Amino acid sequence: MLGQTGRWAALTRVACAAIALGVALPALAVQVTDDRGVTVTLAAPPQRIVSLLPSLTETVCELGQCPRLVGVDRYSNWPASMASLPRVGGGLDPSIEAVVALKPDLVLLATSTRAAARLEALGIKVVALEPRNMADVRRVLAQVGRALGLPDADAQRVWFRIETALGTIAQSIPPRSRGARVYFEVGSGPYAASEASFIGEMLARLDARSIVPGNLGPFPKLNPEFVVKADPDVIMIGDEHFTGLAGRPGWAALRAVREQRVCVFPPAQADILVRAGPRLAEAARLMAACLASRAPTLPTVAPSARP
């Protein structure tokens, strides 16, 4: 029986002989189970990918595989090279015809989209992934890597960089800014980030916390009165939702509004903050800067112990 080293040596000799004879070796098949519980098998690593979710687009690129993307949804705007790719509509309601015209080997999309079944009916391979918390981000990073036929170590390296940066940022929060209660609005409605979301988890890493309990779900729609009763120390919000904030019933009386403890993020920064993808560390830096400049002085809270 050959040992592991012997097997690899034998395979290497076969490969070298095949190359010398001009014989093409078959590409290794790729298999991944997505967030629907569907196991998707590809005969070879996909070379023409359409991504219909910005966080998945960014994940493909963070893994060094931007050139494999041939089309994206209208919101995928990072990295800058995405501007040159065909747009196939929104992630929830893409143009099926536009996607099919790109002849993709694989379409990456969210579990919430209505496009998956229609694309699969046309014979197109689909992997549905939708990260909502930090564990999801790590898992989806690994799943995308496998779907691309990459070694697991590639995704592990990316996650290690993210975790290392998050730890450094968490330690940078000044003691006076720790312990703040934060209302983070992710969309009009209003929809907010709860403690169970990746945003809420990052706030916790920064020794702050969301005023929205996790049992309401990651991104619940709130009654505006909920925020009035909670009276957060700091408000974080994208500028597209900021207009008329003080005009909401009862919100002018919020301490955060009265004392101007509101961080308003321009679109490019808001994109970073609300996408559960590989730019988590950049999102944490934005949150940390907000807390350092806007959080009221509270009783000193020691930095959380992290493994």
Side-chain angles (χ1 to χ4, degrees), residues 117-134:
R118 296 176 63 191
L119 290 169
E120 288 173 324
L122 295 170
I124 294 176
K125 298 287 187 177
V126 166
V127 169
L129 302 165
E130 194 160 0
R132 293 180 178 274
N133 56 38
M134 291 183 68

Side-chain angles (χ1 to χ4, degrees), residues 231-274:
D231 197 16
D233 300 312
V234 177
I235 293 174
M236 299 185 186
I237 188 170
D239 64 357
E240 64 180 304
H241 307 301
F242 179 66
T243 304
L245 191 68
R248 297 178 184 179
W251 283 41
L254 291 175
R255 286 178 302 154
V257 174
R258 293 198 323 268
E259 298 172 7
Q260 299 183 342
R261 299 189 184 281
V262 180
C263 292
V264 183
F265 300 102
Q269 292 183 346
D271 284 348
I272 295 170
L273 286 160
V274 301

